[in-house]
Amino acid sequence: MSGSTPVYEWDSSMYRLALAQLDAAALRMGLDENVWERLRHPQRAQIVSFPFRRDDYKTVDTLVGYRVQHLLTMGPTKGGIRYALDVNLGEVTALAMWMTWKCALMNLPFGGAKGGVCIDPGTLSKSELQRITRRFTSEIIEVIGPDRDIPAPDLGTDEQVMSWIMDTYSQQKGHTVPGVVTGKPIELGGSLGRLEATGRGVLACVVEACRHLSLPLEGARVVVQGYGNVGAAAARIAKSLGARVVAVSDAKGGIVDTNGLDLAKVDAWVREHRFLTGFPGVDEVTNAEILELPCEVLIPAAVQNQITERNAGRLACRVLAEGANGPTSLEADAILDERGIFVVPDILANAGGVTVSYFEWVQGLQQFFWTEEEVNSRLINLMQRAFRDVLAFATNQKSNLRTAALIRGIDRVKEAKRRRGVFP
Ligand code: NAD
């Protein structure tokens, strides 16, 4: 590849990380240069700004939101919507690209997308959250839809936010359109098992990794950074499989109990106090310290860029299973490889969410709903199949799992692009 690519509006440190990963995989697999260049760009990127009236009725802020569709070749696009202060075009573009590889790796008929609004959801009342969601949905209504682009929950959004998106879309179309989002509540056509799906998928990978490394999960110490949708489910499922969850954290910091945390009590505390801070009878740690605690399994399940060249040398885990998207920098990857830490990359480890989102979309289209056991066992099957495929490929190619997962995903996209050809 020539190094003369211009700097685009979506340039950012995260986009550069996504590009560097793509470039490394493309180089290694000998990817056709025309396809390679095409995949380095998002196919569509929409930026919107809109007014947002605070509850006090006097203040009207202007908010900025984004929806990026990386690749329209595979079918509709699919990806979460996040509400966070650092949301920007560059971050959303990188996340959309990772969604493409993730869907392709899992053999799902979607391209990647991502969206978000630059706002701290922690500062919002429920009615403010609702107004932002409805107006943002109206602003992006022309680019989303069950056959076009299907949002889902991500950082700072949940099934209630998905309900408001679905309702706003349906109101404007004049009929109920449940398929416009996934991650909906059950009453609106959501899928059983969707809420815990990402955490369940992470644990399916951890189980496979432990089996591969002959590391017993029974009694293993598990540390989770980010006790939200993904992290809390991963912690709960790890515990149900016999592991000892010794530390968890949220945006304000973490708690540690080397004997294993009582997660039912932690959940009750969070329901009452919102954050973990102040939970009795435990030690407190920062979000930087939690990553360096000695453990068998470390699950970053919060935000990107947590494991870098600064701390990779101090991680004290055997398995790193990436629940979050983009938690590990390229430089850190090299250090972890050298130290023999077994990394299950984000596009594989957290693919359970989009997989059950796919199940939800399929169930909705057919109006035929599966039992929770069916959902979970199909999920575990697909996760195991993907993990074993990536591990076999990595072993064969003498690469790490990230490169192997990227190559498997990119290769499927390349074949689809080759079959469709170039228009006109
Ligand atoms: P969430 O909002 O439900 O939970 C996030 C958790 O991380 C919260 O506990 C929050 O307090 C904490 N947090 C926020 N900022 C932090 C920081 N700077 N340091 C430490 N902790 C922080 O979000 P989620 O849906 O669980 O998503 C978490 C990660 O998983 C994101 O990277 C997301 O892209 C990824 N992911 C989510 C899904 C899904 O289905 N929800 C699927 C795949 C990947």
Side-chain angles (χ1 to χ4, degrees):
M1 290 289 293
S2 79
S4 60
T5 313
V7 174
Y8 292 107
E9 289 78 1
W10 47 82
D11 184 49
S12 68
S13 56
M14 236 170 121
Y15 173 67
R16 269 174 261 138
L17 171 62
L19 268 194
Q21 292 176 350
L22 165 63
D23 289 349
L27 195 65
R28 192 164 175 141
M29 68 195 281
L31 183 64
D32 177 291
E33 292 218 354
N34 297 313
V35 176
W36 181 353
E37 182 59 24
R38 188 72 198 93
L39 293 176
R40 297 175 100 242
H41 303 81
Q43 196 157 343
R44 289 182 186 152
Q46 188 177 21
I47 305 178
V48 298
S49 72
F50 55 93
F52 158 51
R53 186 170 42 73
R54 294 268 175 188
D55 281 346
D56 68 12
Y57 259 76
K58 283 197 229 78
T59 323
V60 178
D61 293 336
T62 295
L63 299 185
V64 176
Y66 308 88
R67 188 71 186 168
V68 173
Q69 299 164 353
H70 173 247
L71 175 92
L72 278 68
T73 306
M74 316 299 283
T77 48
K78 185 99 196 70
I81 288 187
R82 56 169 57 181
Y83 291 169
L85 256 189
D86 54 8
V87 164
N88 58 56
L89 182 62
E91 175 182 303
V92 170
T93 303
L95 290 161
M97 187 186 282
W98 284 325
M99 281 304 294
T100 294
W101 315 142
K102 196 181 300 181
C103 292
L105 175 65
M106 297 305 292
N107 261 319
L108 309 180
F110 302 124
K114 207 78 175 192
V117 177
C118 177
I119 182 85
D120 178 0
T123 64
L124 301 173
S125 71
K126 202 160 177 190
S127 54
E128 289 175 333
L129 191 63
Q130 175 167 185
R131 281 202 294 283
I132 288 174
T133 301
R134 288 188 181 280
R135 181 63 192 248
F136 177 56
T137 306
S138 298
E139 295 294 335
I140 60 166
I141 203 148
E142 293 306 331
V143 298
I144 60 172
D147 306 316
R148 289 183 170 205
D149 180 12
I150 307 149
D154 196 81
L155 209 62
T157 59
D158 57 13
E159 57 177 27
Q160 180 56 68
V161 170
M162 294 307 115
S163 306
W164 291 325
I165 296 177
M166 181 274 215
D167 184 67
T168 307
Y169 187 88
S170 300
Q171 296 292 347
Q172 298 208 11
K173 296 292 166 188
H175 60 104
T176 299
V177 189
V180 67
V181 286
T182 58
K184 297 179 290 291
I186 303 299
E187 309 84 65
L188 294 182
S191 175
L192 292 165
R194 173 62 184 89
L195 215 54
E196 314 80 37
T198 311
R200 192 175 299 284
V202 172
L203 258 294
C205 291
V206 168
V207 168
E208 291 297 309
C210 287
R211 185 173 297 150
H212 171 66
L213 299 169
S214 305
L215 181 73
L217 191 53
E218 180 77 38
R221 293 163 300 175
V222 174
V223 169
V224 179
Q225 186 200 46
Y227 197 66
N229 176 319
V230 177
R236 233 177 350 263
I237 296 165
K239 191 169 181 190
S240 76
L241 295 173
R244 189 155 39 108
V245 180
V246 293
V248 298
S249 73
D250 60 29
K252 299 206 167 175
I255 55 173
V256 186
D257 183 346
T258 48
N259 295 316
L261 292 160
D262 183 335
L263 295 181
K265 286 196 180 140
V266 172
D267 289 340
W269 179 270
V270 171
R271 266 195 304 277
E272 193 178 342
H273 303 275
R274 194 162 178 185
F275 292 101
L276 297 160
T277 324
F279 184 77
V282 295
D283 295 324
E284 300 205 339
V285 279
T286 65
N287 265 307
E289 289 163 348
I290 200 170
L291 298 171
E292 298 173 20
L293 291 175
C295 61
E296 278 66 49
V297 180
L298 174 63
I299 303 176
V303 291
Q304 59 273 13
N305 199 30
Q306 295 300 295
I307 299 157
T308 65
E309 58 193 329
R310 286 193 309 280
N311 61 0
R314 293 194 298 273
L315 259 55
C317 60
R318 186 77 190 80
V319 174
L320 173 67
E322 297 182 338
N325 284 305
T328 309
S329 74
L330 218 55
E331 297 78 15
D333 255 342
I335 298 170
L336 299 175
D337 270 355
E338 204 166 291
R339 296 189 56 218
I341 292 179
F342 191 84
V343 179
V344 188
D346 45 9
I347 62 166
L348 172 62
N350 70 33
V354 70
T355 301
V356 176
S357 272
Y358 164 65
F359 294 166
E360 178 177 333
W361 185 71
V362 168
Q363 291 171 77
L365 287 176
Q366 299 182 342
Q367 291 297 307
F368 178 68
F369 292 89
W370 311 344
T371 64
E372 189 159 4
E373 291 68 38
E374 277 174 300
V375 172
N376 289 346
S377 80
R378 283 181 205 226
L379 168 64
I380 301 283
N381 273 341
L382 290 191
M383 293 302 301
Q384 281 177 343
R385 203 163 74 191
F387 183 97
R388 289 170 192 170
D389 173 61
V390 169
L391 179 64
F393 191 80
T395 309
N396 186 269
Q397 297 284 310
K398 297 191 176 35
S399 78
N400 61 21
L401 261 59
R402 188 179 319 277
T403 305
L406 282 164
I407 292 178
R408 296 301 275 163
I410 294 166
D411 195 51
R412 285 187 188 131
V413 170
K414 177 203 78 184
E415 276 307 301
K417 283 195 107 39
R418 188 178 66 78
R419 292 284 186 181
R420 286 189 65 158
V422 177
F423 172 82

